[in-house]
Amino acid sequence: MVKSPERQRGVQSVDMAIRLLEIVRKESQPMMLRDIAVSAGITSAQAHTYMSSLKKFGMIEQLGDAGRYALSDATLTFARHVIRNDATLNANINVARSLSAEIQEMVTVDCLVQEQPTVIFAVQGPRTPSLSLRPGTRSRIGNSAAARIFDAWSDTPEMNPNLSRIIRASGYAHAEGTPVPHLASLAAPVFREGALVASISVIGFPDAMAPEPERPVLRALLAAVSSLGGSSA
Amino acid sequence: MSDATEKEGRGVRAVETGLSLLGLFLDSDGPLSAADLALRSGLSKAQVHAYLVSLQRGNMVVRDPQTGRYAIGPFSLELGMSRLLTLDPQITASEEALKVARKLGQSISIAVWGRYGPVVTAVVQANDQLLNSAQPGTVYSVTGTATGRLFAALTNEAEAREIAKLQMAEVTPPRYVGACPPFDEIHEPLETVRRTGVSITYSFPQPGVTAISAPVYNFSDELELAVTMIGPAEEIDISLEGNHVAPLRALAATISRKLGFIGKASGA
């Protein structure tokens, strides 16, 4: 029987470095060294030494004259490797790319990151109106069809149970007037071994995004998702 | 400070060793076993094991219970997604372009692909001669500028062809900058762009002015923007390995990396 990592000794300073990264990650603004140190319960001098090592590896950078600390480039490189090495996410991205080429609309792949629906891939279509929706963007049930998909299959849904039921039964969600007033989105769920792992969304003008299964965009979206094979438990 | 430095000196080394282990995954196509990691890092298996315990505890790596192999874990994805929230591609591109422009004493435009062709979003100027007539908001011609041809070759050709037709139909003075040859006459330059990954116009469309344009890709492997160096034809070296094309390509690669591009997947 292998002991779980929680019970084993490990390397104390690596644990601390990861803790410091999480402190910087949680704060949306670049942080002062002493605030990082206080959060971690170590001295500023100790925090400084850790930050130097994290900086050397491109995980952390210092900004402005005050030298505040923020996450840096290497975090993106690691995130891309996580996505590329995940067969399901990779398949979703390939399907999303061909879907966009087929219907000429903007397509995104969303996943739950830290429990929040987050865009991990976005491709603009030639008909896409200017919209700064990009990887990293998080969405809420109030403003995106993708967020409604995650909510409909969540254990603690926020939405009205009737709406959840309709989304689960029809296999797609629709949101209009979002993320900006003149746009609409359609989203469909992707499952792996019965569990929801991602959502694929199309974003465009409301007319093309009409939630009628015989319309070409919705038909293409549902075909794309079903080509990925998974089904809900 | 001195006792802390002494104590943390070891701490730091361990952090750097841990990060080096994590870095080994970037050079690998798939998951790695503890033995692979020991072999590649030169650490003992016991040491690797201790590091893996901490990296796993922090979700920096995950262990596949079936194979016993390790891969980069979900905490790395969370860090990257948080980083993306505060990343502005235009600011990153301008900051990096300014460094190169100053070093080479040339001007560099940043342009995105808009609904009516390439649109300039920033110009970083490092020479005293006014050769770059662009400013934020300038639209370049699709068929008769280095930047336009870069986008036409590397994005959606049908869409580029449509826009080129609209631009050609304009009456004087046109709303775009540059010459506007018919799309069918630029087949060869477009092929060259696809082959070399860089778009060059020598002493054209403005006589005496040369432009070199290179593509910047983003987190989704999409063409995000173009960086275009513009300068006197007698100064700009247009050879692919030369003193201008090489640093401009390096600039495009640096910005791409900062936007989260790690190169297109092989076989994709």
Side-chain angles (χ1 to χ4, degrees):
Chain A
M1 181 71 202
V2 181
K3 275 193 285 184
S4 74
E6 285 70 28
R7 316 252 331 249
Q8 297 181 59
R9 272 181 75 100
V11 180
Q12 215 178 355
S13 53
V14 172
D15 293 333
M16 177 55 79
I18 293 173
R19 190 156 152 209
L20 292 169
L21 284 170
E22 174 60 10
I23 288 167
V24 175
R25 188 201 68 77
K26 269 206 303 224
E27 189 77 29
S28 48
Q29 299 292 322
M31 292 181 82
M32 301 284 283
L33 184 66
R34 65 163 179 274
D35 296 332
I36 298 169
V38 167
S39 296
I42 57 176
T43 67
S44 291
Q46 287 171 316
H48 181 263
T49 331
Y50 277 101
M51 287 305 177
S52 307
S53 288
L54 289 167
K55 247 175 85 174
K56 201 158 132 190
F57 282 77
M59 301 296 278
I60 288 283
E61 65 185 5
Q62 278 186 280
L63 302 170
D65 293 338
R68 287 169 187 255
Y69 293 87
L71 296 177
S72 189
D73 306 336
T75 61
L76 283 184
T77 306
F78 284 115
R80 280 304 311 273
H81 277 267
V82 172
I83 294 171
R84 187 166 286 178
N85 289 328
D86 185 313
T88 307
L89 294 184
N90 237 336
N92 290 347
I93 286 170
N94 289 335
V95 160
R97 195 176 270 125
S98 1
L99 176 63
S100 174
E102 180 192 342
I103 60 178
Q104 306 269 294
E105 302 280 1
M106 180 177 201
V107 177
T108 66
V109 176
D110 287 64
C111 278
L112 286 183
V113 178
Q114 297 262 318
E115 313 285 308
Q116 291 190 75
T118 307
V119 178
I120 63 151
F121 170 84
V123 53
Q124 305 268 340
R127 282 205 285 265
T128 312
S130 302
L131 178 65
S132 58
L133 181 62
R134 50 175 69 251
T137 304
R138 294 169 183 165
S139 56
R140 299 181 308 277
I141 53 169
N143 72 5
S144 103
R148 291 174 193 182
I149 290 289
F150 287 104
D151 192 67
W153 271 274
S154 125
D155 296 331
T156 51
E158 282 179 55
M159 283 185 305
N160 171 323
N162 281 329
L163 187 52
S164 290
R165 246 194 312 275
I166 293 168
I167 290 173
R168 293 168 74 116
S170 56
Y172 66 86
H174 175 245
E176 195 167 327
T178 69
V180 290
H182 61 283
L183 294 185
S185 59
L186 285 167
V190 181
F191 298 95
R192 175 170 56 192
E193 289 156 15
L196 179 66
V197 287
S199 154
I200 297 182
S201 301
V202 187
I203 295 126
F205 291 113
D207 193 38
M209 300 302 127
E212 295 149 15
E214 69 278 11
R215 299 290 291 265
V217 170
L218 181 52
R219 208 171 52 217
L221 171 64
L222 295 175
V225 168
S226 99
S227 76
L228 287 163
S231 62
S232 67
Chain B
M1 174 83 200
S2 63
D3 59 327
T5 311
E6 167 53 29
K7 236 171 92 191
E8 289 312 309
R10 281 198 291 274
V12 166
R13 251 199 313 276
V15 168
E16 295 180 6
T17 305
L19 290 168
S20 305
L21 280 178
L22 205 59
L24 292 176
F25 290 98
L26 300 180
D27 302 326
S28 159
D29 283 336
L32 292 171
S33 67
D36 293 332
L37 289 165
L39 194 70
R40 293 180 196 201
S41 64
L43 297 173
S44 73
K45 274 190 190 167
Q47 283 173 304
V48 166
H49 178 76
Y51 281 103
L52 284 172
V53 165
S54 287
L55 291 171
Q56 248 186 297
R57 188 148 57 203
N59 282 321
M60 286 288 251
V61 303
V62 280
R63 179 176 177 273
D64 181 333
Q66 262 149 32
T67 62
R69 288 169 169 264
Y70 297 85
I72 303 174
F75 182 58
S76 302
L77 182 62
E78 290 164 8
L79 288 174
M81 297 328 266
S82 294
R83 161 79 178 164
L84 280 174
L85 279 179
T86 54
L87 181 73
D88 183 326
Q90 290 291 327
I91 293 176
T92 300
S94 299
E95 283 173 357
E96 295 302 319
L98 186 57
K99 292 182 206 164
V100 176
R102 283 193 176 140
K103 202 166 147 205
L104 298 177
Q106 301 295 348
S107 137
I108 295 175
S109 293
I110 294 163
V112 297
W113 183 237
R115 303 299 290 277
Y116 195 63
V119 183
V120 174
T121 54
V123 178
V124 293
Q125 192 87 33
N127 53 7
D128 48 7
Q129 305 171 61
L130 191 60
L131 294 171
N132 187 346
S133 54
Q135 58 177 3
T138 297
V139 174
Y140 282 133
S141 111
V142 172
T143 56
T145 61
T147 313
R149 289 173 181 181
L150 185 87
F151 282 110
L154 302 179
T155 60
N156 186 329
E157 188 177 319
E159 191 193 349
R161 193 180 276 275
E162 274 312 302
I163 298 171
K165 213 183 282 172
L166 292 172
Q167 288 186 341
M168 270 185 84
E170 282 201 17
V171 291
T172 316
R175 290 173 293 173
Y176 58 82
V177 165
C180 211
F183 204 92
D184 289 322
E185 286 177 17
I186 58 161
H187 180 74
E188 207 181 299
L190 294 192
E191 275 309 307
T192 307
V193 173
R194 290 186 191 110
R195 200 179 60 245
T196 61
V198 58
S199 175
I200 302 171
T201 52
Y202 174 75
S203 195
F204 174 86
Q206 197 184 328
V209 178
T210 282
I212 311 165
S213 188
V216 169
Y217 293 92
N218 63 23
F219 193 83
S220 299
D221 294 352
E222 296 288 305
L223 186 53
E224 172 81 26
L225 53 89
V227 283
T228 308
M229 187 183 296
I230 294 160
E234 71 272 16
E235 273 180 32
I236 301 272
D237 178 354
I238 58 167
S239 61
L240 288 182
E241 306 305 326
N243 292 331
H244 293 94
V245 178
L248 189 74
R249 271 187 208 263
L251 168 65
T254 300
I255 303 169
S256 299
R257 182 180 53 75
K258 284 178 165 283
L259 302 188
F261 179 68
I262 57 169
K264 304 227 163 142
S266 50

